[in-house]
Amino acid sequence: MAFRKPPDGGWGWVIVVVSFFTQFLCYGSPLAVGVLYLEWLDAFGEGKGKTAWVGSLANGIGLLASPVCSICVSSFGARPVAIFSGFMVAGGLMMSSFAPNIYFLYVSYGIVVGLGCGLLYTATVTITCQYFDKRRGLALGLISTGSSVGLFIYAALQRELIELYGLDGCLLIVGALSLNILACGSLMRPLESSSSPPPEKMLVDKVPDQYFVYHEKEKTVEENISILEKGYIDEKCVNNVPDCKQDSILNKNALSSINVNEKDTYKKKVVEQTNFCKQLAKRKWQLYLTYWKETMVLFKNKVFSALFVAILLFDIGGFPPSLLMEDVARSANISEDDYYMPLISIIGIMTTVGKLILGILADFKWVNTLYLYVTTLLMTGVALFAIPFAKSYLTLAMLSGILGFLTGNWSIFPYVTTKTVGIEKLTHAYGILMFFAGLGNSLGPPIVGWFYDWTQEYNTAFYFSGFCVLLGGFLLLLAALPCWNACTNQSSKLPPNTYSYKVASNA
């Protein structure tokens, strides 16, 4: 399939709008799952660690399955994947309303909804990149805010729906809203070329059927030659019926003289195909070896190794507040009359602000993006340490806003990765880091919940979370100090035609 040059506008802005609403609809409930988390605790009576697995799977499984998601979008296209994933998200949410136990939710909400969100994220980013080149950073930044706005709105929406219709009714209505993803997906028109098919295909279409003899792998040489003879004779008989018998006798004599050549040609073709298969298998094996060699080279980079540890520890410690902050407020015996806005909504709106402001700061030449990222990690760790001392709604709201703003460091994470490994290795390195980010998302909330089940209070849990984030930040800082200048000097020696990387935020 041939693609036209990215128009950087036109229908591309429609793609941006529908991609924004797609991420809004699919990520709204999983990111605001903290509201549902309280209801599941009361409904099933399970431990906090076991119940937290539902939300952590929904947010982490998409990142863990990112290679599979990329293959699906590459094979089938963004539009079919978006429509299919819309059914997954809506179906998973509706199935969750009939969950008899927490284990059912692991599959319906954690895996089905989480995988659907991962597929939709990959589809929206892919189709947006196809339509934009010069304005790609702006377009990706706009669609990435859909998930943060979804977190802000869905936190209040789900709470209101639970009060009006109960937990089951809330999930059914939210699932029905997710069906709008199908309409958004149908508008993701692929950027295809409307030109005529390639010359190779036109030539193949003109070849008579009897000359496809060499593609019949299960037939023997003699059977293939007999098919060739029959096709040649039948063609003569159709054109000149009276002379059919005479031509048949003459053709037998003629074909018998070329049978040897046909057999040699066929055998040569078989040998060529066999050699091609061997070369293809050898090439694939070499690609796998090259991939693992490049991976080992990446981990020899001290900054990249520290970055991998930092992102894993950051997601283990920094993600639980967005899931558990509502339960923290309830554990602190904060009255519902003092609730002016759900804490998760505050996290969502401040994450949007953080993405925009930190992304703008990263564009300034005098700002070192690695040190900026390390600063956000250290500040996140300090804020997590402060949560056990917050005993009022106002202090929890302030800490939620700070944590939400610092979580916006996702917008500068691609910058840091590019500075560390270079633009040519960005895709490989970013895929590895996102896998471990998904692992951290999946493990963080259950670990914090298990701490609560063990100690019956959140203080130890958030001390652990803060320690994880601070440890990751300090390791990254120590690794960057001696060799950061070398990394920047190496990146500055890139060829002049190297493209600069723009902000591509993660959900």
Side-chain angles (χ1 to χ4, degrees), residues 48 324-334 452 457-458:
K48 296 181 185 292
L324 304 174
M325 192 61 79
E326 298 294 328
D327 192 45
V328 171
R330 187 169 71 170
S331 301
N333 297 320
I334 296 176
Y452 184 92
E457 44 88 15
Y458 273 117

Side-chain angles (χ1 to χ4, degrees), residues 31-60:
L31 289 178
V33 73
V35 177
L36 304 176
Y37 171 75
L38 297 177
E39 302 298 322
W40 287 329
L41 283 174
D42 298 335
F44 301 114
E46 299 286 352
K48 296 181 185 292
K50 185 181 291 186
T51 307
W53 269 110
V54 181
S56 62
L57 283 175
N59 287 278

Side-chain angles (χ1 to χ4, degrees), residues 378-393:
L378 298 179
M379 292 178 65
T380 301
V382 173
L384 289 171
F385 271 115
I387 289 179
F389 300 98
K391 301 300 180 182
S392 66
Y393 173 81

Side-chain angles (χ1 to χ4, degrees), residues 137-149:
L138 173 63
L140 291 174
L142 290 174
I143 69 171
S144 70
T145 58
S147 58
S148 301
V149 175

Side-chain angles (χ1 to χ4, degrees), residues 465-505:
S465 297
F467 172 76
C468 287
V469 178
L470 284 176
L471 177 62
F474 278 119
L475 288 177
L476 182 57
L477 180 62
L478 291 175
L481 286 176
C483 61
W484 176 246
N485 291 330
C487 293
T488 53
N489 291 336
Q490 184 178 1
S491 62
S492 63
K493 294 179 181 179
L494 293 174
N497 59 347
T498 301
Y499 296 102
S500 60
Y501 188 79
K502 300 294 182 182
V503 177
S505 304

